Amino acid sequence: MNTRINPADFTKTVGAYSQGLKVDLGDKSLVFVSGQLAMDAEGDPVAPGDFGAQTRFIFENIKRVLGEAGATLGDVVKVQIFVTDITKFPQVSAVRNEYLGDIRPVSTLLEINRTVKDGCDIEIEVTAIMENLK
């Protein structure tokens, strides 16, 4: 069974996707979190140009999506980070390490030309595997 996850006060999705998807595999579930941008509920960018603040905002949103699935950051096994300026890696990495330092999931970081929203300089998606409660 698949469960779509769309927190009520998140920015409304534009298009046919969900913020998260929980896929039941029996004893475990996979949780996929769509690429998150630093946008408020009205769709406005949060902290344009501040890569650290945007990263923090995004990880807080990721925590919320995972939480609605019953997962935590401790369940994250893969992270993909897309940035519009690779020279900002130290700011992004510092915040990423605050959230995932002890978890140490596999990770990819790529520089891209832009995101789908001007003023949003980072997009982060994660995959988690969680134990299902009996």
Side-chain angles (χ1 to χ4, degrees):
M1 178 169 85
N2 296 339
T3 305
R4 288 167 194 358
I5 303 161
N6 291 296
D9 59 343
F10 265 43
T11 302
K12 299 295 182 231
T13 59
V14 178
Y17 76 96
S18 295
Q19 298 292 346
L21 181 68
K22 181 178 178 182
V23 180
D24 185 0
L25 302 173
D27 291 355
K28 299 185 186 293
S29 286
L30 284 172
V31 181
F32 301 94
V33 178
S34 287
Q36 298 294 306
L37 298 170
M39 287 192 307
D40 63 21
E42 289 76 42
D44 296 320
V46 173
D50 186 334
F51 282 67
Q54 285 195 7
T55 303
R56 188 172 313 284
F57 183 90
I58 290 167
F59 271 109
E60 288 300 319
N61 278 352
I62 288 169
K63 281 174 46 177
R64 290 185 53 221
V65 174
L66 290 170
E68 289 211 9
T72 69
L73 287 174
D75 298 312
V76 171
V77 296
K78 183 176 182 180
V79 179
Q80 291 182 284
I81 302 174
F82 306 90
V83 297
T84 58
D85 182 351
I86 200 72
T87 68
K88 304 300 183 183
F89 171 73
Q91 293 95 316
V92 174
S93 181
V95 176
R96 178 199 177 281
N97 291 345
E98 288 176 30
Y99 285 89
L100 300 173
D102 292 335
I103 300 162
R104 304 180 70 83
V106 298
S107 184
T108 301
L109 184 134
L110 296 170
E111 183 177 41
I112 59 174
N113 289 333
R114 60 189 291 195
T115 68
V116 298
K117 180 71 172 179
D118 288 337
C120 294
D121 301 304
I122 303 165
E123 185 165 346
I124 303 174
E125 65 181 44
V126 303
T127 303
I129 300 175
M130 59 177 277
E131 299 284 335
N132 286 331
L133 299 177
K134 304 260 183 212

